[in-house]
Amino acid sequence: MIRTVLQFIVSAVCLLLSISVLGQTVMDTTVVRDSRYLEDQFYIGVGYNVLLDTPDEVGQQNLSYNLQAGFIKDIPLNLRRNFGVGLGLGYAVNSYYSNLVSSEESNTIVYQVMEGSNFNRSKFETHSIELPLELRWRTSTAEEYKFWRIYAGAKLGYVFSGRSKLVTDDGNDSFSNNDIEKLQYGLMLNFGYNTWNIHAYYALNPLLKEDSTLNGNPIDFRVLRIGLIFYIL
């Protein structure tokens, strides 16, 4: 028993001495931590969707919202780890409210503008799997958890569920809208300090397919999204 205790003490002393020598001759503990820490690996966001390039008679109504959440692999590119890239996987739900109403007629989708007291609301709703790619710059260190960040990049989304819904005083009508583009892509910018960060996204392709028309004219509106994004870990 005594021999075991003595062996433990000797081993502990040798270990402490080796750590001390290593700390004096190689690098301090801050650099060791700097070589490992990661930032902003999970995100959750909320935003408002603005429809751009809409026909003159089409107007937005109600709150066209965005909800998003996901994981981003943080890949630092320098020793300080304040510059790098991020590649992620996420989920988003978007609603777009307007007076543009879609309906199914003879296996085709027809669009018209609806007004009147009987009309309540009309919306497009999408559920998407998203792949964000970011170029990341921040002022973080291994000990500092409040810092500035600027993340710019692009996002590719796959719409696995797209629906149109009409609500009137007489009832509801909802159906799967195949005119909604399956692939959505655009540019994004996230910037802010500590908890509060602004999220902006601009779609590079229209929300609806090219053959979608209103009164014979193409419906090629795009989405501008402004909101807040929060990062965890």
Side-chain angles (χ1 to χ4, degrees), residues 82-101:
N82 69 327
F83 178 76
V85 297
L87 179 61
L89 177 64
Y91 162 78
V93 55
N94 290 283
S95 289
Y96 309 93
Y97 288 92
S98 70
N99 60 348
L100 181 65
V101 176

Side-chain angles (χ1 to χ4, degrees), residues 22-194:
L22 180 63
Q24 293 174 3
T25 60
V26 182
M27 60 182 67
D28 60 24
T29 56
T30 299
V31 176
V32 173
R33 285 197 298 269
D34 281 354
S35 67
R36 297 179 181 177
Y37 86 94
L38 302 173
E39 293 286 2
D40 299 342
Q41 299 176 85
F42 295 90
Y43 68 90
I44 183 170
V46 58
Y48 177 72
N49 292 314
V50 180
L51 295 177
L52 304 177
D53 300 326
T54 59
D56 293 337
E57 61 269 37
V58 175
Q60 280 194 250
Q61 299 176 338
N62 302 92
L63 180 62
S64 299
Y65 64 85
N66 159 263
L67 298 173
Q68 58 176 315
F71 168 80
I72 290 186
K73 175 59 178 176
D74 187 50
I75 308 173
L77 298 179
N78 61 343
L79 182 60
R80 184 181 168 185
R81 305 179 78 78
N82 69 327
F83 178 76
V85 297
L87 179 61
L89 177 64
Y91 162 78
V93 55
N94 290 283
S95 289
Y96 309 93
Y97 288 92
S98 70
N99 60 348
L100 181 65
V101 176
S102 54
S103 58
E104 291 182 301
E105 298 181 7
S106 302
N107 297 323
T108 62
I109 300 177
V110 178
Y111 297 91
Q112 59 180 323
V113 174
M114 181 173 288
E115 303 286 354
S117 58
N118 188 47
F119 170 72
N120 292 329
R121 60 185 178 274
S122 173
K123 75 170 180 177
F124 299 105
E125 182 179 274
T126 64
H127 297 261
S128 308
I129 298 296
E130 298 187 325
L131 297 173
L133 176 62
E134 300 176 344
L135 189 64
R136 299 180 139 201
W137 175 86
R138 58 199 176 217
T139 60
S140 64
T141 66
E143 296 84 11
E144 181 58 54
Y145 298 101
K146 296 181 179 180
F147 52 87
W148 290 95
R149 60 172 63 80
I150 300 176
Y151 298 163
K155 180 182 292 186
L156 174 66
Y158 175 75
V159 178
F160 63 87
S161 176
R163 300 189 65 83
S164 287
K165 184 176 182 179
L166 171 64
V167 179
T168 66
D169 292 342
D170 299 326
N172 303 337
D173 182 27
S174 177
F175 64 94
S176 178
N177 190 336
N178 294 323
D179 276 353
I180 297 176
E181 280 284 1
K182 292 293 185 183
L183 289 179
Q184 302 283 334
Y185 52 89
L187 303 176
M188 63 178 181
L189 175 66
N190 303 324
F191 65 94
Y193 178 77
N194 194 23

